[in-house]
Amino acid sequence: MTTSSFDDKDIELIRKKIRNIPDFPKKGIIFKDITPVLQDPMTLVLTSKLLMQPFLEQNVDLVAGIESRGFIFGTRMAADLAAGFIPVRKPNKLPSDKISVEYELEYGMDQLEMHSDAIKKGDRVVIHDDLMATGGSARAASELITSLGGVVIGYSFVLELTFLNGKSKLETGIPVHSLLEI
Amino acid sequence: MTTSSFDDKDIELIRKKIRNIPDFPKKGIIFKDITPVLQDPMTLVLTSKLLMQPFLEQNVDLVAGIESRGFIFGTRMAADLAAGFIPVRKPNKLPSDKISVEYELEYGMDQLEMHSDAIKKGDRVVIHDDLMATGGSARAASELITSLGGVVIGYSFVLELTFLNGKSKLETGIPVHSLLEI
């Protein structure tokens, strides 16, 4: 799946609003800042619409958004698809019974959690985040969903840093829909 | 402003989905968990609709959502109101030039940040979070917005813990719209 599945003019409007911030969060990294996309009502609505598009005929039961920027478009995607929303959270944020998974960062490990009753067996789930870098957190979300009996039917990102090859971490056969590839 | 400005039957549907979690995040506190509201497509859409309602005729330019649960409905409110969305974030998360404000917690201090170019002078801004407890973070968001020349035209919460009297921290004359009061 490449950006060609979306209208090039629409994508260009969004791309123009993404801001490069050099040396954030640390020297040598160019941070892709989506806040100008959010700030403009036109690109905010357009991005929501495009993110939802690939999943319109897919009988989505739930959208899982990864904390915290995955909450931004995740809820809207869910509501627009008549699906529910599940927050996938960092450790010790979710209050009820939950399951955890560890995943590798560039240096060290991190952890994601989900409520144990967030998913019913067979639920069709889309995983959403604003950015896919190495794919570690997306893969971790998928493991949480699968371990509860859910079926991951697709991944959705605003931005994919293709040079990090995050797709190689994800299961083959599950489509990855990224609005923009860099 | 009380819950009576919303339809009681609608409010009851949402209230039933809010789950009490005793002793979270620490002993003696009953945590109000909204994840079941999000998980059900019906209450997800209904909550979004009701949150937006008081601001429909208010020419809202921006909705400011407080990290991280304020991102959940904030983006959707913004898009539905044809407004932009600004994330109000915890320290060291925003990548570009920014302003900060400190505020008091029950024990100690915390800090919120906003991009310096998030607001144009005169922008009409709604502040949204899922929960108002002591009102400290909402007030801090208001200070950030005002210092950039924005005009706070209202506060929006899914839940307000009225016994903590958070309203007393907020400016008089700015309406507070809470779907549910506890």
Side-chain angles (χ1 to χ4, degrees), chain A residues 8-120:
Chain A
D8 286 348
K9 271 186 304 188
D10 287 344
I11 293 295
E12 208 38 46
L13 289 170
I14 297 167
R15 187 189 298 273
K16 272 194 223 150
K17 292 268 175 182
I18 292 175
R19 180 159 62 173
N20 286 327
I21 313 279
D23 299 324
F24 186 89
K26 56 187 173 184
K27 210 165 167 58
I29 292 181
I30 299 173
F31 188 87
K32 300 285 171 183
D33 178 22
I34 66 160
T35 60
V37 176
L38 308 174
Q39 202 171 332
D40 180 333
M42 191 273 290
T43 44
L44 178 66
V45 169
L46 181 62
T47 306
S48 308
K49 198 187 104 190
L50 296 182
L51 284 171
M52 172 188 72
Q53 234 169 47
F55 303 104
L56 269 173
E57 310 288 323
Q58 303 283 311
N59 299 313
V60 177
D61 293 306
L62 294 163
V63 175
I66 300 175
E67 181 163 2
S68 59
R69 295 200 309 266
F71 295 178
I72 292 178
F73 286 108
T75 318
R76 187 167 170 91
M77 278 180 72
D80 287 346
L81 292 167
F85 176 77
I86 323 168
V88 181
R89 301 210 63 176
K90 289 169 184 158
N92 308 316
K93 299 289 191 78
L94 287 170
S96 193
D97 288 338
K98 62 202 174 187
I99 56 168
S100 297
V101 66
E102 283 204 325
Y103 65 99
E104 258 178 80
L105 294 176
E106 203 182 350
Y107 302 104
M109 302 292 284
D110 210 341
Q111 209 174 320
L112 283 174
E113 299 187 337
M114 191 180 277
H115 273 153
S116 310
D117 61 359
I119 287 171
K120 292 188 303 297

Side-chain angles (χ1 to χ4, degrees), chain B residues 120-151:
Chain B
K120 291 187 306 293
K121 204 164 185 286
D123 273 348
R124 294 167 60 79
V125 187
V126 171
I127 294 170
H128 169 73
D129 205 349
D130 69 331
L131 175 85
M132 173 152 81
T134 65
S137 54
R139 178 58 195 242
S142 170
E143 286 172 21
L144 290 170
I145 290 160
T146 308
S147 75
L148 292 173
V151 181

Side-chain angles (χ1 to χ4, degrees), chain B residues 17-61:
Chain B
K17 292 268 175 182
I18 291 175
R19 178 160 63 173
N20 287 327
I21 313 278
D23 300 324
F24 186 89
K26 55 188 177 187
K27 210 164 166 61
I29 292 181
I30 298 173
F31 188 87
K32 299 286 174 184
D33 178 22
I34 66 160
T35 60
V37 177
L38 309 174
Q39 201 171 333
D40 181 333
M42 191 272 290
T43 45
L44 177 66
V45 169
L46 181 62
T47 306
S48 308
K49 197 187 107 191
L50 295 181
L51 284 170
M52 171 187 74
Q53 231 168 52
F55 302 105
L56 269 174
E57 310 288 322
Q58 303 282 312
N59 299 314
V60 177
D61 293 306

